[in-house]
Amino acid sequence: MDFVSSISGKSLEQFCANIFVSLGVQPDYAKIAARSVVEADLRGIRSHGILRFPIYIKRMELGLIESKAEPKVVSRKGAVSLFDGKHGMGQVTGYLAMQQAVASAKEYGIGAAGVYNSTHFGFLAYYSNIAAANGMIGMAFSNTTPLMAPTGGAQRVIGNNPISISVPYGGNGPVILDMACSTVALGKVQYAAQEGQEIPGGWGMDQNGHVTNNPQEVIDGGLLGPIGSYKGYGLAFIIEVLSGVLTGAGLGVGVRSLYQDLVNKQDTGHFMIALDVAPFMDKEQFYGRLTGFIKQMKTAKQVPGERIYIPGEIENDIFKEREEKGIPLTAKNIEALQELAAKYNLELPLA
Amino acid sequence: MDFVSSISGKSLEQFCANIFVSLGVQPDYAKIAARSVVEADLRGIRSHGILRFPIYIKRMELGLIESKAEPKVVSRKGAVSLFDGKHGMGQVTGYLAMQQAVASAKEYGIGAAGVYNSTHFGFLAYYSNIAAANGMIGMAFSNTTPLMAPTGGAQRVIGNNPISISVPYGGNGPVILDMACSTVALGKVQYAAQEGQEIPGGWGMDQNGHVTNNPQEVIDGGLLGPIGSYKGYGLAFIIEVLSGVLTGAGLGVGVRSLYQDLVNKQDTGHFMIALDVAPFMDKEQFYGRLTGFIKQMKTAKQVPGERIYIPGEIENDIFKEREEKGIPLTAKNIEALQELAAKYNLELPLA
């Protein structure tokens, strides 16, 4: 990747928040959404950071994301809640939903919250990490617009529905699994397309079901392959049940494409679970047991030339580095941000 | 597969329960465990049915499964509970734990239960299906003895930790995802070894990390490959956190092999979540939405010569057939059961 400049996380966050506010988003919500965009890039998840920011703005300009929406709890029973996202920014509703799940888990040991009428809400660990920051195991699920074929099928009808689970680990930063049910996330294919790179053969197929190295062919009508074949399809199916069927959100083709449908609102659905560690054991004991298991992984015989990582470790390391040195930007990133800066009469504070 | 005879589910269940009772298990617990064994075979999951029954009996004879154990709730807070399995049959503790999670979910909308001091407890959907039978989405997780290497590693240090999620679907039988984090479950490799069959190349490696078609080489010291590479490893890691770290059960090498360690108790850990559909929507509405999504899958363009299934559909169909016609048995199955029949002075009621 050819990086030509960089920007500090704080500056980029303020820049993004200012544009959201210009469009009518209330300042605290603008901050939540901007932080999600920036944190993705700080963690090295380029597929879900500023790469997505221009399309969020475009959809908001078109009224497909309601800038003034006020997400609302429409029902609550015991430890479970259901939110109507009112077609506002998914980042905000997702944040509020996980906070509610955490509040429920404080009271009952476990809590859950579903969301409908939402939108693409960035990288999933943003939400599961809220639970981890509260000493809880957080689970976040979302459906997406159809990107995969079911096993035995040759047509996009199911999302690559991501799942994220964060495990609190004190000062060591959470252990984080954040994955889509496809071999790769669509964002990685989009990033390759933006940067003019080829993709490996296993990432996807063109619209005729043939393996392709051209990322644009996968974006234009092809299929992402599910991990483990029918297992990845099955997991995506279940995540659709949690995020879509149970919440009342769009289902399959009812979840509109972030990029390709510029007429309808998305109606994405999410589901959050927070599970408190405290009722099971003292947190120091939990961290100690986690350390013991991590040690078993780290001291295992390694494949020569490779290294064994803990889920989320690579991103946690990148985060530390970028918090200090800023987020590197490609020429394409800068071009997209400059365009928005001009339109919204802002400075782009490059380092 | 060469089937030479068959046995009715009811007869096999009684046969297995009688042997458990002979060993000191109380009758209601014997029935729960026997039902798990038989239901696996009724559902066509041969890797987790009577194939495993002889080793359960052997471990019980050796005192490594405590036949008289009385699983106990050691802590409860709100909607979460922790069970000490007392090294009794995992099937019994798992059953009681999911029943408790269901009871909590009736009260709070969601409930969870962890288990430690447990044993190999058969096929996982047995537990998630308890929730589905109560109109709830059930999730069951378990750790296992180490069977996979972490990504970048060349040594077995992590289980292929299975997950099962069952979704209630009224008279159509639950939608069921039941999968291990490896490309295949070890039971499938063991079944191939017992029947003298070769295995496909992607299923596993020998103890030097080389791909092999010999199932015995995978059993003897090799590694099962995780689905989606680092994704399957990450998912297995998180399931170890839920089932092992959080519950206080054995971790990694601390979970002893069902077959290869005939000295120590297993100390397997499990985790259960039950999520009630009722607080989110009326069950008829939920089934209707599920039907709508299933229809999208079923009517998608198909790969010529293939068919699109819903998770659990194949097993649900086999179940209906075998409930009526009985469970087909190979000569090896019959030999193993006859040996136990002679030892425990019972008739093996073949059809």
Side-chain angles (χ1 to χ4, degrees):
Chain A
M1 256 167 286
D2 292 329
F3 295 122
V4 297
S5 185
S6 72
I7 189 166
S8 81
K10 271 205 160 52
S11 300
L12 182 59
E13 187 179 319
Q14 193 58 58
F15 177 83
C16 294
N18 284 344
I19 296 181
F20 285 136
V21 170
S22 297
L23 282 158
V25 179
Q26 54 173 285
D28 51 338
Y29 286 180
K31 192 176 160 64
I32 289 170
R35 182 68 196 164
S36 154
V37 170
V38 171
E39 214 169 275
D41 274 310
L42 284 173
R43 297 185 61 76
I45 309 165
R46 302 189 71 83
S47 57
H48 283 70
I50 43 176
L51 176 74
R52 306 275 182 168
F53 184 62
I55 189 70
Y56 296 146
I57 297 305
K58 186 169 185 182
R59 293 189 77 86
M60 202 174 274
E61 289 167 347
L62 291 168
L64 301 175
I65 299 178
E66 301 267 9
S67 63
K68 293 187 165 62
E70 186 69 58
K72 201 183 147 199
V73 178
V74 291
S75 75
R76 186 177 307 170
K77 184 205 162 180
V80 303
S81 307
L82 180 63
F83 282 73
D84 179 351
K86 303 277 190 78
H87 303 289
M89 282 191 292
Q91 290 87 343
V92 174
T93 317
Y95 184 93
L96 297 175
M98 184 55 99
Q99 285 215 315
Q100 178 56 53
V102 166
S104 296
K106 276 202 177 117
E107 195 169 349
Y108 302 108
I110 188 167
V115 173
Y116 66 98
N117 281 342
S118 189
T119 66
H120 188 284
F121 70 159
F123 81 114
L124 218 57
Y126 190 57
Y127 312 98
S128 51
N129 283 350
I130 295 169
N134 283 279
M136 297 180 185
I137 296 169
M139 305 186 194
F141 309 86
S142 184
N143 64 7
T144 76
T145 200
L147 294 170
M148 308 194 303
T151 306
Q155 186 186 348
R156 278 183 175 177
V157 285
I158 187 166
N160 67 342
N161 303 347
I163 175 175
S164 175
I165 304 182
S166 298
V167 179
Y169 192 24
N172 299 301
V175 173
I176 305 169
L177 174 72
D178 187 355
M179 62 177 237
C181 290
S182 52
T183 314
V184 296
L186 183 64
K188 289 196 182 169
V189 181
Q190 285 166 333
Y191 187 76
Q194 181 188 286
E195 300 298 322
Q197 298 162 355
E198 290 211 328
I199 55 171
W203 286 19
M205 291 160 285
D206 66 20
Q207 54 193 330
N208 299 313
H210 299 127
V211 171
T212 177
N213 301 108
N214 181 335
Q216 198 57 50
E217 287 181 358
V218 174
I219 293 167
D220 283 346
L223 314 162
L224 296 174
I227 56 165
S229 178
Y230 65 94
K231 296 192 177 188
Y233 157 53
L235 194 53
F237 190 107
I238 295 293
I239 293 171
E240 187 81 36
V241 168
L242 290 171
S243 309
V245 177
L246 188 62
T247 61
L251 289 174
V253 295
V255 182
R256 274 44 177 266
S257 170
L258 178 66
Y259 290 92
Q260 285 160 345
D261 184 336
L262 297 177
V263 175
N264 297 292
K265 292 170 182 169
Q266 288 196 274
D267 198 7
T268 311
H270 318 305
F271 200 79
M272 313 284 179
I273 297 175
L275 172 66
D276 197 2
V277 168
F280 291 90
M281 60 182 66
D282 173 74
K283 73 180 175 192
E284 294 307 326
Q285 191 189 353
F286 180 79
Y287 299 156
R289 289 177 59 79
L290 187 53
T291 298
F293 183 63
I294 287 173
K295 204 170 165 187
Q296 287 189 40
M297 299 300 107
K298 288 287 194 182
T299 58
K301 195 173 113 189
Q302 311 213 351
V303 174
E306 296 198 21
R307 193 180 142 189
I308 296 168
Y309 292 95
I310 299 309
E313 182 183 355
I314 295 175
E315 293 80 7
N316 286 348
D317 287 350
I318 295 174
F319 182 83
K320 276 176 213 151
E321 191 192 316
R322 293 194 176 173
E323 274 267 282
E324 198 184 310
K325 297 185 185 166
I327 296 163
L329 299 172
T330 65
K332 291 266 186 188
N333 291 149
I334 294 171
E335 192 185 311
L337 291 173
Q338 291 288 22
E339 207 175 290
L340 288 168
K343 190 168 187 180
Y344 287 93
N345 203 21
L346 291 167
E347 283 281 317
L348 181 66
L350 297 178
Chain B
M1 255 167 287
D2 292 327
F3 295 122
V4 297
S5 185
S6 72
I7 189 167
S8 81
K10 272 207 160 53
S11 300
L12 182 60
E13 186 179 319
Q14 194 57 58
F15 177 82
C16 294
N18 285 343
I19 295 181
F20 285 136
V21 170
S22 297
L23 282 158
V25 179
Q26 54 173 286
D28 51 339
Y29 287 180
K31 193 177 159 63
I32 291 169
R35 182 68 196 164
S36 154
V37 169
V38 172
E39 214 170 275
D41 275 310
L42 284 173
R43 298 185 60 76
I45 310 164
R46 301 190 69 84
S47 56
H48 283 71
I50 44 175
L51 177 75
R52 305 275 183 169
F53 185 62
I55 188 70
Y56 296 146
I57 297 305
K58 186 170 183 180
R59 293 189 77 87
M60 200 174 275
E61 289 167 348
L62 291 168
L64 301 175
I65 298 177
E66 301 267 10
S67 63
K68 293 186 165 60
E70 186 69 58
K72 202 183 145 197
V73 178
V74 292
S75 75
R76 185 177 308 168
K77 183 205 163 181
V80 303
S81 307
L82 181 62
F83 282 72
D84 179 351
K86 301 278 191 77
H87 304 289
M89 282 190 293
Q91 290 86 344
V92 174
T93 318
Y95 184 95
L96 297 175
M98 184 55 100
Q99 285 216 315
Q100 178 56 54
V102 165
S104 297
K106 276 203 177 117
E107 196 169 350
Y108 302 109
I110 188 169
V115 173
Y116 66 99
N117 282 341
S118 190
T119 67
H120 189 283
F121 70 160
F123 81 114
L124 218 56
Y126 190 57
Y127 311 98
S128 50
N129 283 350
I130 295 168
N134 284 278
M136 298 181 183
I137 295 169
M139 305 186 193
F141 309 86
S142 184
N143 63 8
T144 75
T145 200
L147 294 170
M148 308 194 302
T151 305
Q155 186 186 349
R156 277 182 176 179
V157 286
I158 186 166
N160 66 342
N161 303 347
I163 176 175
S164 175
I165 304 182
S166 298
V167 178
Y169 192 25
N172 299 302
V175 173
I176 306 169
L177 174 73
D178 187 355
M179 62 176 237
C181 290
S182 53
T183 314
V184 295
L186 183 64
K188 288 196 182 169
V189 180
Q190 286 165 334
Y191 187 75
Q194 181 188 286
E195 300 298 322
Q197 298 162 355
E198 291 211 328
I199 54 171
W203 285 19
M205 291 161 285
D206 65 21
Q207 55 194 325
N208 300 313
H210 299 128
V211 171
T212 176
N213 301 105
N214 182 336
Q216 198 56 49
E217 287 181 0
V218 174
I219 293 167
D220 283 346
L223 313 163
L224 296 174
I227 55 165
S229 179
Y230 66 93
K231 296 192 176 188
Y233 157 54
L235 195 53
F237 189 108
I238 294 294
I239 293 171
E240 187 81 35
V241 168
L242 289 171
S243 309
V245 177
L246 187 62
T247 61
L251 289 173
V253 295
V255 182
R256 273 45 177 265
S257 169
L258 177 67
Y259 290 92
Q260 285 159 345
D261 185 335
L262 297 178
V263 176
N264 297 292
K265 290 168 183 171
Q266 288 197 273
D267 198 7
T268 310
H270 319 304
F271 201 80
M272 312 285 178
I273 297 175
L275 172 67
D276 197 2
V277 168
F280 292 90
M281 60 182 67
D282 174 73
K283 73 181 175 190
E284 294 306 325
Q285 191 188 355
F286 180 79
Y287 298 155
R289 288 177 60 78
L290 188 53
T291 298
F293 183 63
I294 287 173
K295 204 169 166 186
Q296 288 189 40
M297 299 301 107
K298 288 288 194 180
T299 57
K301 194 173 114 189
Q302 312 214 351
V303 174
E306 294 198 22
R307 193 181 141 188
I308 296 168
Y309 292 96
I310 299 309
E313 181 183 356
I314 295 175
E315 293 80 8
N316 286 348
D317 287 348
I318 295 174
F319 182 82
K320 275 175 215 152
E321 191 192 319
R322 293 195 176 171
E323 274 266 281
E324 198 184 307
K325 297 187 185 167
I327 297 164
L329 300 172
T330 65
K332 291 266 187 190
N333 291 151
I334 293 171
E335 192 186 311
L337 291 173
Q338 290 289 22
E339 206 175 291
L340 287 167
K343 191 169 185 178
Y344 288 93
N345 203 20
L346 291 167
E347 283 281 318
L348 181 66
L350 296 177

